[in-house]
Amino acid sequence: MKKIITAAIIAGMCVTGFGISKVSADTTTPVRGTISVSTNANAEVLPDTVEITLAIKTKDAKSLQKAAEENKQISDKVYSTLKAMINSQNGDYIKTANYSARPVYVYGTNNKKSLDKYEVSNSIIVHTKNIDKTGTMIDKAISLGATDVNDLRFSVSNYEKQCNELLTVASQKAKTRVDVAAKASGTYITGVKSMNISCSENTANRVQYRYMAKNVMSAGASADSLEVQEAATPIQSGIIRIYANLSAEYFIK
């Protein structure tokens, strides 16, 4: 009698184990085929906005206050003159990028530190769509006492719109290519598994425009003499190339 009961228990365990295995197999998700593609689209556009970074630097051997007062006088003239040359209603503006006032030290023998001068620097950014006046603005700022042109950047104000249009083109190209490949393989698209998109611009031609005022004014020239020049400093904005990139993976059946 004991042998019969033991055999029944073992048989029951075997049946139970088989049932679990069968349920697990039925719930396994079938593998779906996929096809991947990468496409891009690009366009050349003319920039319509420029940012000019200017600096006014002043110094005094004995007084930080004197250096600051001189800097304020020059900055006020530069600000007011450039403000009259831009259109704030069109999104143009002028802002302070950085301001510093500090003593400058030199180190002599035995690493002894001594005061050399006091220096004040006011860096401003001019953001404007009047890009045809870029050279004139630079010349005028320098004639009023600006000492550095640190940067010059051209851009496209409707960058997002351009990006979206190019992504539409890249997406259509991707769908067409996948349709062709799937049809040739005897399958068809059933959905999108994943998609990665991005936009960028070519900055290789971005202008890096740097000089100091002393490099454009001769030793005997006055600030007013710059105003009688026949033409402003020539500045070419060039073109900007915008890229849209798309990588996608589609389900096929």
Side-chain angles (χ1 to χ4, degrees), residues 127-159:
H127 178 100
T128 178
K129 291 186 174 65
N130 292 335
I131 61 176
D132 57 324
K133 294 183 179 180
T134 301
T136 302
M137 290 182 182
I138 290 173
D139 291 344
K140 190 64 179 176
I142 289 175
S143 73
L144 294 171
T147 53
D148 299 81
V149 181
N150 291 326
D151 203 4
L152 184 62
R153 295 173 180 264
F154 292 98
S155 60
V156 181
S157 61
N158 64 342
Y159 175 81

Side-chain angles (χ1 to χ4, degrees), residues 36 191-196 247-251:
S36 302
V192 179
K193 180 180 180 181
S194 64
M195 184 175 291
N196 295 314
S247 297
E249 189 172 7
Y250 298 84
F251 288 117

